[in-house]
Amino acid sequence: MHTEYFIVDRENPDKEILGQAAELLKQGKLVAFPTETVYGLGADGLNEKAVADIYQAKGRPSDNPLILHIAHKEEINQLVAHIPANAKILIDTYWPGPLTIVFRRKAVVPDIVTGGLDTVAVRLPDSIVARELIALAGTPIAAPSANTSGRPSPTSAQAVLADLEGKIDAVVDAGGCQIGVESTVVDCTTPVPTLLRPGGVTLEMLIATLGEVEIDPILSGSFELSPRSPGMKYTHYAPDAPMVLFEGAYPQVVELLLQEVTTALAAGKRVGALVSAETAARLPAGVVSSVYGMRQQVDKIAANLYMALRSYDNNTVDVIYAEGISEDGLGLAVMNRLRKASGYTIVKG
Ligand code: TXA
Ligand code: MG
């Protein structure tokens, strides 16, 4: 399959070009597009065949449900059975933006979108390109991150093509994604809303808005409990080499990482280090470093994270050592993704 390539301006996208991409969506085809979080792989969310093709292109397990993306708040009413009071508050405060809300679904939502669950996840993205594309398509757009299942999410059109060129009908390129990690997922079908995936809307923001938020046990490390968000149980964001994550108090955590790097180099390994700029300056020669940002600039770390992980594609190193950061704010989302990328191979300092 030939993958068509469209390029548009992020703030002021050409309507005619987006119209061509929207036409493909209407025909049941797969179009990758940018959002403020990561690139999504879009299809008409009410077309079962089109949604089935998303799973096929990504190699995604069919019990991992998809998010439906809408262009205007009112479009929620056609999809969900009931909007709880807490969800109303979240919608008014954070939409459009990097927040996905889980509702009880209406029957119009196909089983293939929800993995058979009686709930549906909905998001109104902030990205102008995403919203205009969805509006032109005139249907809710099902869109997981536009990566091969298990790989880091794409934050550029180039990263989309690296995984999916020839497997999807088109990609819309509007440059890099500002946030860089996927949306926060909050389940509002529980009496107290439950955080299922940390993201751009932080836990601190949710607590400030709602007063009380439960945290899914899998996020606090109780992996034996069955995950409520099916996506949480799969290995994710994994780079091409095994990764070890160093967690703990700073600067001890960095000393520990530097020791391991030295030991691995001495053993003849090709060593990668996914680290802060401060730590990169202290690495010995011969290490393939990928810098995710300055330790205090968590927004930049999040924005660079997936590109940094993808820099180890094509088997360039034998092992990657990653430097953990504080879990404050967006740091919770960054650490959640790093833990999953490491397959929970974690050294605590
Ligand atoms: O930022 C994002 O959310 C991006 C962009 C493209 O919007 N999309 C994205 O989709 O990250 P995906 O499919 O990679 O992740 C969706 C997550 C998965 O963890 C999935 O299990 C969860 O949302 N999810 C979807 N529907 C759900 C439901 N009904 N109940 C609980 N979790 C659900
Ligand atoms: Mg994903």
Side-chain angles (χ1 to χ4, degrees):
M1 178 192 298
H2 171 69
T3 301
E4 268 192 81
Y5 181 79
F6 300 109
I7 187 159
V8 295
D9 185 79
R10 180 197 293 171
E11 301 298 329
N12 191 15
D14 186 320
K15 278 252 164 59
E16 212 209 310
I17 296 177
L18 281 187
Q20 293 174 37
E23 195 51 44
L24 294 174
L25 287 168
K26 284 186 190 173
Q27 293 167 8
K29 296 189 170 163
L30 302 185
V31 178
F33 63 96
T35 79
E36 71 278 19
T37 57
V38 300
Y39 274 71
L41 178 56
D44 178 349
L46 303 182
N47 176 335
E48 287 183 37
K49 163 76 172 66
V51 175
D53 288 346
I54 291 182
Y55 286 93
Q56 172 79 30
K58 282 187 57 113
R60 179 175 174 118
S62 61
D63 65 343
N64 190 3
L66 306 178
I67 298 170
L68 287 182
H69 296 68
I70 57 176
H72 306 100
K73 288 182 187 176
E74 314 79 74
E75 289 155 22
I76 185 95
N77 297 312
Q78 79 184 91
L79 304 173
V80 316
H82 168 63
I83 303 180
N86 280 320
K88 274 206 187 75
I89 296 171
L90 290 178
I91 289 171
D92 288 340
T93 314
Y94 297 113
W95 278 8
L99 176 69
T100 296
I101 304 175
V102 175
F103 300 90
R104 297 255 167 252
R105 68 159 157 154
K106 276 189 177 159
V108 66
V109 178
D111 277 345
I112 189 158
V113 169
T114 68
L117 298 173
D118 63 354
T119 55
V120 61
V122 185
R123 162 159 134 79
L124 174 57
D126 188 37
S127 155
I128 295 166
V129 175
R131 272 188 284 151
E132 292 203 349
L133 178 67
I134 299 162
L136 287 166
T139 180
I141 298 296
S145 48
N147 50 280
T148 298
S149 196
R151 297 254 303 139
S153 296
T155 50
S156 68
Q158 290 64 42
V160 172
L161 290 172
D163 281 13
L164 297 176
E165 181 152 33
K167 297 181 176 172
I168 63 176
D169 297 283
V171 59
V172 178
D173 184 351
C177 301
Q178 302 91 304
I179 296 178
V181 292
E182 303 84 347
S183 63
T184 305
V185 181
V186 176
D187 184 351
C188 282
T189 67
T190 47
V192 176
T194 308
L195 176 66
L196 300 181
R197 179 174 75 180
V201 172
T202 65
L203 178 60
E204 291 88 338
M205 289 158 78
L206 292 172
I207 291 171
T209 305
L210 297 174
E212 202 186 354
V213 176
E214 272 181 29
I215 298 177
D216 191 78
I218 202 161
L219 293 179
S220 31
S222 315
F223 307 118
E224 59 277 36
L225 290 164
S226 112
R228 292 244 298 279
S229 185
M232 300 307 281
K233 70 176 184 250
Y234 298 105
T235 310
H236 257 116
Y237 321 117
D240 271 4
M243 190 173 109
V244 181
L245 174 62
F246 289 77
E247 283 189 28
Y250 184 77
Q252 290 87 334
V253 65
V254 170
E255 302 308 325
L256 207 59
L257 181 148
L258 290 170
Q259 273 171 29
E260 278 307 312
V261 164
T262 306
T263 307
L265 280 177
K269 287 191 188 157
R270 296 174 305 161
V271 177
L274 178 67
V275 292
S276 63
E278 293 91 328
T279 301
R282 299 183 53 200
L283 287 170
V287 177
V288 184
S289 67
S290 186
V291 178
Y292 55 45
M294 304 278 289
R295 271 193 74 87
Q296 294 304 320
Q297 297 186 321
V298 66
D299 291 8
K300 293 236 169 73
I301 293 178
N304 292 333
L305 184 66
Y306 289 137
M307 215 195 304
L309 284 170
R310 281 176 177 265
S311 74
Y312 295 110
D313 285 357
N314 306 316
N315 196 25
T316 49
V317 296
D318 300 313
V319 63
I320 302 165
Y321 295 117
E323 173 184 349
I325 61 167
S326 148
E327 289 188 301
D328 293 345
L330 202 50
L332 184 65
V334 169
M335 288 304 288
N336 168 258
R337 306 313 192 268
L338 283 173
R339 287 178 187 133
K340 297 187 84 182
S342 75
Y344 300 97
T345 310
I346 296 168
V347 174
K348 295 217 177 187

PDB file of all heavy atoms in Angstrom, residues 58 60 144-145 147 153 182 197 236-237, ligand 2:
ATOM      1  N   LYS A  58      -1.451  -1.937  13.384  1.00  0.00           N
ATOM      2  CA  LYS A  58      -0.592  -1.783  14.564  1.00  0.00           C
ATOM      3  C   LYS A  58      -0.109  -3.109  15.140  1.00  0.00           C
ATOM      4  O   LYS A  58       0.810  -3.139  15.944  1.00  0.00           O
ATOM      5  CB  LYS A  58      -1.362  -1.058  15.687  1.00  0.00           C
ATOM      6  CG  LYS A  58      -1.498   0.426  15.530  1.00  0.00           C
ATOM      7  CD  LYS A  58      -2.123   1.028  16.798  1.00  0.00           C
ATOM      8  CE  LYS A  58      -1.372   0.728  18.068  1.00  0.00           C
ATOM      9  NZ  LYS A  58      -0.750   1.865  18.729  1.00  0.00           N
ATOM     10  N   ARG A  60      -2.115  -4.739  17.127  1.00  0.00           N
ATOM     11  CA  ARG A  60      -2.574  -4.480  18.498  1.00  0.00           C
ATOM     12  C   ARG A  60      -3.525  -5.576  18.977  1.00  0.00           C
ATOM     13  O   ARG A  60      -4.418  -5.987  18.234  1.00  0.00           O
ATOM     14  CB  ARG A  60      -3.288  -3.134  18.519  1.00  0.00           C
ATOM     15  CG  ARG A  60      -3.863  -2.708  19.875  1.00  0.00           C
ATOM     16  CD  ARG A  60      -4.424  -1.301  19.724  1.00  0.00           C
ATOM     17  NE  ARG A  60      -5.126  -0.779  20.865  1.00  0.00           N
ATOM     18  CZ  ARG A  60      -4.729   0.303  21.545  1.00  0.00           C
ATOM     19  NH1 ARG A  60      -3.608   0.911  21.216  1.00  0.00           N
ATOM     20  NH2 ARG A  60      -5.449   0.764  22.540  1.00  0.00           N
ATOM     21  N   PRO A 144      -5.697   5.185  18.285  1.00  0.00           N
ATOM     22  CA  PRO A 144      -4.619   4.869  19.217  1.00  0.00           C
ATOM     23  C   PRO A 144      -3.369   5.627  18.779  1.00  0.00           C
ATOM     24  O   PRO A 144      -3.364   6.244  17.703  1.00  0.00           O
ATOM     25  CB  PRO A 144      -4.427   3.368  19.023  1.00  0.00           C
ATOM     26  CG  PRO A 144      -4.760   3.141  17.579  1.00  0.00           C
ATOM     27  CD  PRO A 144      -5.842   4.157  17.240  1.00  0.00           C
ATOM     28  N   SER A 145      -2.335   5.601  19.576  1.00  0.00           N
ATOM     29  CA  SER A 145      -1.064   6.170  19.142  1.00  0.00           C
ATOM     30  C   SER A 145      -0.618   5.445  17.866  1.00  0.00           C
ATOM     31  O   SER A 145      -0.835   4.239  17.717  1.00  0.00           O
ATOM     32  CB  SER A 145      -0.021   6.017  20.248  1.00  0.00           C
ATOM     33  OG  SER A 145      -0.011   4.692  20.744  1.00  0.00           O
ATOM     34  N   ASN A 147       1.857   4.029  16.450  1.00  0.00           N
ATOM     35  CA  ASN A 147       3.072   3.219  16.470  1.00  0.00           C
ATOM     36  C   ASN A 147       2.700   1.757  16.283  1.00  0.00           C
ATOM     37  O   ASN A 147       1.553   1.365  16.506  1.00  0.00           O
ATOM     38  CB  ASN A 147       3.792   3.376  17.815  1.00  0.00           C
ATOM     39  CG  ASN A 147       2.840   3.162  18.986  1.00  0.00           C
ATOM     40  OD1 ASN A 147       2.082   4.068  19.340  1.00  0.00           O
ATOM     41  ND2 ASN A 147       2.838   1.963  19.542  1.00  0.00           N
ATOM     42  N   SER A 153       5.464   5.623  21.379  1.00  0.00           N
ATOM     43  CA  SER A 153       4.516   6.400  20.587  1.00  0.00           C
ATOM     44  C   SER A 153       5.269   7.398  19.717  1.00  0.00           C
ATOM     45  O   SER A 153       6.328   7.876  20.090  1.00  0.00           O
ATOM     46  CB  SER A 153       3.556   7.152  21.511  1.00  0.00           C
ATOM     47  OG  SER A 153       2.773   6.242  22.242  1.00  0.00           O
ATOM     48  N   GLU A 182       1.172  10.557  26.029  1.00  0.00           N
ATOM     49  CA  GLU A 182      -0.246  10.418  25.734  1.00  0.00           C
ATOM     50  C   GLU A 182      -1.105  11.092  26.802  1.00  0.00           C
ATOM     51  O   GLU A 182      -0.662  11.359  27.918  1.00  0.00           O
ATOM     52  CB  GLU A 182      -0.640   8.939  25.638  1.00  0.00           C
ATOM     53  CG  GLU A 182       0.130   8.154  24.611  1.00  0.00           C
ATOM     54  CD  GLU A 182       1.452   7.650  25.150  1.00  0.00           C
ATOM     55  OE1 GLU A 182       1.903   8.099  26.223  1.00  0.00           O
ATOM     56  OE2 GLU A 182       2.041   6.794  24.480  1.00  0.00           O
ATOM     57  N   ARG A 197      -4.356   6.313  33.576  1.00  0.00           N
ATOM     58  CA  ARG A 197      -3.065   6.566  32.917  1.00  0.00           C
ATOM     59  C   ARG A 197      -2.688   8.018  33.163  1.00  0.00           C
ATOM     60  O   ARG A 197      -3.467   8.921  32.832  1.00  0.00           O
ATOM     61  CB  ARG A 197      -3.173   6.305  31.408  1.00  0.00           C
ATOM     62  CG  ARG A 197      -1.865   6.574  30.652  1.00  0.00           C
ATOM     63  CD  ARG A 197      -1.939   6.175  29.186  1.00  0.00           C
ATOM     64  NE  ARG A 197      -2.710   7.113  28.394  1.00  0.00           N
ATOM     65  CZ  ARG A 197      -2.932   6.989  27.085  1.00  0.00           C
ATOM     66  NH1 ARG A 197      -2.440   5.951  26.424  1.00  0.00           N
ATOM     67  NH2 ARG A 197      -3.648   7.882  26.439  1.00  0.00           N
ATOM     68  N   HIS A 236       5.083  -1.804  26.766  1.00  0.00           N
ATOM     69  CA  HIS A 236       4.833  -0.629  25.958  1.00  0.00           C
ATOM     70  C   HIS A 236       6.085   0.208  25.829  1.00  0.00           C
ATOM     71  O   HIS A 236       6.949   0.136  26.685  1.00  0.00           O
ATOM     72  CB  HIS A 236       3.808   0.252  26.683  1.00  0.00           C
ATOM     73  CG  HIS A 236       2.447   0.156  26.116  1.00  0.00           C
ATOM     74  ND1 HIS A 236       1.394  -0.343  26.807  1.00  0.00           N
ATOM     75  CD2 HIS A 236       1.966   0.514  24.904  1.00  0.00           C
ATOM     76  CE1 HIS A 236       0.305  -0.279  26.075  1.00  0.00           C
ATOM     77  NE2 HIS A 236       0.622   0.223  24.912  1.00  0.00           N
ATOM     78  N   TYR A 237       6.079   1.034  24.822  1.00  0.00           N
ATOM     79  CA  TYR A 237       7.092   2.081  24.695  1.00  0.00           C
ATOM     80  C   TYR A 237       8.507   1.503  24.643  1.00  0.00           C
ATOM     81  O   TYR A 237       9.466   2.177  24.943  1.00  0.00           O
ATOM     82  CB  TYR A 237       7.005   3.090  25.853  1.00  0.00           C
ATOM     83  CG  TYR A 237       5.593   3.423  26.260  1.00  0.00           C
ATOM     84  CD1 TYR A 237       5.108   3.112  27.528  1.00  0.00           C
ATOM     85  CD2 TYR A 237       4.742   4.044  25.358  1.00  0.00           C
ATOM     86  CE1 TYR A 237       3.806   3.422  27.891  1.00  0.00           C
ATOM     87  CE2 TYR A 237       3.439   4.348  25.722  1.00  0.00           C
ATOM     88  CZ  TYR A 237       2.977   4.031  26.985  1.00  0.00           C
ATOM     89  OH  TYR A 237       1.700   4.332  27.346  1.00  0.00           O
TER      90      TYR A 237
HETATM   91 MG    MG B   2      -0.517   3.616  22.559  1.00  0.00          MG
END
